[in-house]
């Protein structure tokens, strides 16, 4: 079997006609590529007719400078090839475009700020798998629907005009950027004109996720009772049913702005606010007084009110779990990692940004106050099963394409698994596994899924 990955050699334009491409003879024979007549070359949205010349005892590919420039390919790149005889098309790829929030062109070493290392990792993983990746921001989306100015890595970061890719991974970290008319228009156009697949195409909000998953009876067991907080009546009815409730900003992230209300006795309520400095506590002698304080916040923030749970704890610090769930090389959801997060000493939310600590599921469950009769072994399996079921549920119930999800789960002291939230833009700093291996499995998986989407 011939390898489908070839090294690209760029030849100065005078030496090789623009519409000519040289390939190893063995490849030309095996793929039955017609010689002396034009075939179509495709790379993302790029199309051009070329003649193929076979070269004996050679397993790379030579192309002219001007062809390389139009394709955004550099000398020495390794790329996968496929020949489709039915349409006489030689396909290069997959070409992956990663849409990121911002770039810093004046910082050539760190053009993407804190995610530059992640971007480098993606480049290296693509090189290993014969895919080609570039990075672009909303500001680089122009009027052309065939080309984008993107960043590639070749002996340093540089900007090149690139064809629109086969696959776009939307890594925008702000709703404001994602909702820009130019971004929405671009995503619609490239899907329509180039059959580009866009994955993780939108942010999710908490109410949308819970309302969608409620429709699937097999998932209801993971869902704490939750509603969009609209008025005092709803607050009163939830506080009468549960000894504690949480108010979570519908569009929040990193544990910002979460409020926990605990019913102390007949008329006293304790309210805990998650702030970056720690937990701020306040007591109210009536629910009406408490609501009047919260209703001020409700003018600018929409809250989801959620049943409080008796979560497992380690030394009185609540524990939850972040599962990174991704689609694999055959488009099926798989678990890439699950880590346990224990809240910091002065916090009731477990985000690392709030001083939380990471550990393995096994370690956390073993140290926790999980009830005596509950199997520690099964706990980890239940978390994995829940994460997979929830990811499939999101896919089935929410009309958007997702390739990776961060799923936050909790476990109560009886060993029951609960869903806290689903994040369609899992941070690339938060779910780092607990070893310092070069290329993370999550990065490899993203490329395998992109290859699957592009037919490689």
């Amino acid at each position: 079997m011939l390898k489908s990955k070839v090294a690209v050699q760029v030849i100065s334009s005078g030496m090789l006609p623009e519409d000519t491409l040289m390939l190893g003879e063995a490849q030309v024979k095996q793929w039955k590529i017609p010689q002396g007549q034009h075939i179509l070359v495709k790379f993302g949205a790029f199309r051009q007719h070329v003649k193929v010349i076979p070269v004996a005892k050679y397993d790379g590919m030579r192309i002219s400078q001007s062809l390389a420039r139009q394709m955004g390919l550099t000398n020495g790149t390794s790329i996968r090839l496929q020949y489709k005889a039915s349409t006489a098309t030689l396909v290069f790829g997959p070409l992956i475009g990663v849409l990121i929030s911002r770039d810093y062109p004046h910082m050539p070493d760190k053009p993407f700020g804190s995610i530059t290392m992640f971007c480098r990792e993606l480049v290296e993983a693509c090189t290993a798998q014969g895919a080609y990746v570039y990075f672009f921001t909303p500001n680089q989306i122009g009027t052309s629907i065939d080309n984008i100015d993107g960043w590639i890595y070749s002996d340093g970061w540089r900007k090149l005009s690139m064809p629109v890719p086969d696959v776009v991974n939307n890594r925008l970290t702000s709703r404001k950027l994602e909702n820009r008319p130019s971004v929405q228009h671009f995503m619609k156009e490239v899907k329509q004109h180039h059959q580009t697949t866009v994955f993780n195409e939108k942010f999710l909000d908490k109410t949308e996720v819970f309302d969608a998953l409620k429709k699937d009876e097999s998932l209801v067991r993971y869902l704490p009772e939750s509603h969009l907080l609209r008025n005092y009546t709803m607050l009163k009815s939830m506080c009468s049913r549960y000894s504690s409730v949480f108010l979570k900003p519908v569009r929040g992230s990193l544990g910002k702005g979460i409020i926990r209300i605990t019913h102390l006795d007949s008329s006293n309520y304790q309210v805990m606010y998650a702030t970056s400095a720690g937990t701020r506590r306040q007591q109210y002698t009536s629910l009406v007084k408490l609501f009047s304080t919260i209703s001020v916040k409700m003018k600018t923030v929409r809250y989801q009110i959620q049943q409080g749970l008796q979560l497992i704890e380690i030394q009185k610090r609540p524990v939850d779990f972040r599962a990174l769930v991704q689609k694999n090389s055959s488009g099926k959801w798989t678990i890439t990692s699950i880590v346990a997060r224990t809240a910091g000493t002065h916090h009731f939310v477990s985000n690392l940004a709030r001083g939380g600590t990471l550990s393995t599921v096994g370690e956390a469950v073993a140290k926790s106050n999980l009830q005596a009769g509950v199997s520690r072994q099964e706990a980890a399996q239940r978390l994995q099963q829940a994460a997979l079921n929830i990811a499939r549920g999101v896919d089935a119930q929410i009309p958007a394409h997702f390739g990776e999800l961060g799923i936050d789960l909790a476990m109560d002291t009886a060993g029951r698994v609960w869903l806290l939230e689903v994040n369609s833009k899992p941070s690339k700093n938060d779910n780092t596994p607990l070893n310092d291996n070069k290329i993370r499995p999550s990065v490899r998986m993203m490329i395998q899924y992109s290859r699957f989407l592009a037919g490689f």
Side-chain angles (χ1 to χ4, degrees):
M1 179 66 192
L2 278 175
K3 58 178 202 265
S4 56
K5 204 168 87 171
V6 301
V8 177
Q9 214 180 338
V10 179
I11 307 289
S12 64
S13 288
M15 312 276 291
L16 191 65
E18 189 178 323
D19 68 340
T20 304
L21 182 149
M22 299 169 99
L23 253 190
E25 190 176 55
Q27 243 119 358
V28 174
K29 276 185 180 158
Q30 186 184 350
W31 289 338
K32 300 187 175 69
I33 297 175
Q35 294 168 41
Q37 62 191 68
H38 279 100
I39 64 164
L40 188 66
V41 157
K42 174 187 179 304
F43 185 47
F46 174 81
R47 306 274 189 287
Q48 183 162 321
H49 284 96
V50 300
K51 280 183 191 153
V52 176
I53 298 175
V55 183
K57 298 191 179 113
Y58 177 65
D59 65 358
M61 176 172 65
R62 294 182 186 137
I63 57 176
S64 70
Q65 246 167 354
S66 74
L67 190 58
R69 194 165 38 242
Q70 291 174 69
M71 295 170 87
L73 284 175
T74 55
N75 196 32
T77 304
S78 270
I79 194 93
R80 283 182 183 274
L81 295 183
Q82 270 183 0
Y83 182 66
K84 300 191 170 166
S86 57
T87 53
T89 307
L90 186 62
V91 190
F92 294 34
L95 181 57
I96 303 169
V98 181
L99 177 54
I100 56 174
S101 294
R102 60 191 65 84
D103 59 359
Y104 307 93
H106 58 284
M107 291 164 54
D109 295 344
K110 282 186 84 173
F112 316 119
S114 64
I115 63 163
T116 304
M117 284 308 293
F118 162 70
C119 297
R120 244 334 272 284
E121 211 179 324
L122 262 177
V123 171
E124 289 184 22
C126 278
T127 305
Q129 294 194 39
Y132 201 70
V133 65
Y134 67 89
F135 303 85
F136 65 106
T137 70
N139 293 339
Q140 282 145 4
I141 292 171
T143 46
S144 158
I145 58 151
D146 298 321
N147 292 85
I148 302 171
D149 284 335
W151 289 89
I152 66 154
Y153 189 88
S154 177
D155 300 328
W157 291 104
R158 49 181 169 153
K159 259 182 173 169
L160 283 185
S161 173
M162 295 296 300
V164 159
D166 300 305
V167 177
V168 172
N169 177 7
N170 171 5
R171 296 216 55 84
L172 292 177
T173 51
S174 107
R175 291 166 196 274
K176 197 172 161 189
L177 286 175
E178 188 171 272
N179 293 331
R180 262 195 203 174
S182 59
V183 172
Q184 290 299 319
H185 178 73
F186 167 79
M187 294 208 262
K188 199 174 129 197
E189 292 286 305
V190 297
K191 285 189 222 171
Q192 228 168 343
H193 289 273
H194 300 301
Q195 283 67 60
T196 297
T197 310
V198 180
F199 72 86
N200 283 34
E201 53 190 334
K202 75 184 198 92
F203 274 92
L204 291 168
D205 68 38
K206 295 181 178 69
T207 310
E208 171 189 26
V209 170
F210 275 73
D211 288 351
L213 296 180
K214 275 176 197 163
K215 296 176 192 156
D216 182 334
E217 282 181 15
S218 69
L219 299 177
V220 172
R221 62 190 160 133
Y222 301 125
L223 306 178
E225 184 180 350
S226 70
H227 309 276
L228 191 60
L229 178 60
R230 296 181 191 282
N231 49 36
Y232 173 74
T233 318
M234 181 170 286
L235 178 69
K236 189 179 171 188
S237 90
M238 287 290 281
C239 287
S240 67
R241 278 207 291 291
Y242 302 108
S243 57
S244 70
V245 297
F246 281 87
L247 305 188
K248 299 179 175 181
V250 162
R251 298 190 153 183
S253 67
L254 300 176
K256 287 188 193 106
I258 294 179
I259 301 170
R260 177 178 172 177
I261 300 170
T262 309
H263 197 166
L264 298 174
D265 52 43
S266 59
S267 58
N268 285 307
Y269 293 87
Q270 184 187 59
V271 180
M272 291 157 84
Y273 298 93
T275 72
S276 49
T279 301
R280 192 164 63 78
R281 294 166 203 270
Q282 225 170 332
Q283 276 207 31
Y284 293 88
T285 49
S286 79
L287 200 55
V288 175
K289 286 179 185 163
L290 191 165
F291 184 73
S292 69
T293 308
I294 286 167
S295 57
V296 176
K297 293 180 181 287
M298 283 168 67
K299 289 181 178 136
T300 51
V301 181
R302 283 164 60 225
Y303 286 99
Q304 186 188 30
I305 184 165
Q306 204 171 76
Q307 157 191 0
L309 302 165
Q310 197 56 54
L311 300 188
I312 57 171
E313 296 177 337
I314 296 174
Q315 296 165 338
K316 298 211 167 15
R317 290 155 57 187
V319 178
D320 67 21
F321 304 89
R322 159 60 65 97
L324 180 66
V325 190
Q326 292 176 294
K327 285 184 179 161
N328 63 12
S329 55
S330 51
K332 301 273 186 292
W333 285 110
T334 56
I335 303 269
T336 303
S337 64
I338 300 190
V339 291
R341 304 183 300 185
T342 307
T345 18
H346 302 295
H347 296 269
F348 62 90
V349 290
S350 66
N351 294 73
L352 303 189
R354 301 261 182 281
T357 51
L358 283 186
S359 61
T360 65
V361 172
E363 284 167 353
V365 170
K367 287 183 196 163
S368 77
N369 60 342
L370 189 64
Q371 285 170 14
V374 182
S375 154
R376 303 297 199 255
Q377 197 60 45
E378 279 172 23
Q381 290 163 347
R382 277 204 296 276
L383 286 164
Q384 292 195 351
Q385 200 50 60
L388 288 173
N389 292 346
I390 289 162
R392 293 181 195 126
V394 167
D395 241 2
Q397 303 294 341
I398 295 178
H401 184 145
F402 300 104
E404 64 172 351
L405 295 168
I407 298 180
D408 290 346
L409 299 167
M411 182 174 282
D412 63 23
T413 48
R416 180 170 171 184
V417 175
W418 297 89
L419 172 65
L420 299 178
E421 69 172 293
V422 179
N423 184 343
S424 62
K425 307 293 172 101
S427 130
K428 284 302 156 203
N429 312 335
D430 194 287
N431 60 4
T432 317
L434 304 165
N435 58 15
D436 295 322
N437 236 346
K438 195 80 176 87
I439 294 174
R440 284 175 279 187
S442 59
V443 172
R444 276 201 289 270
M445 189 69 84
M446 184 224 132
I447 295 155
Q448 286 170 5
Y449 181 53
S450 300
R451 281 173 54 188
F452 163 77
L453 291 174
F456 280 90

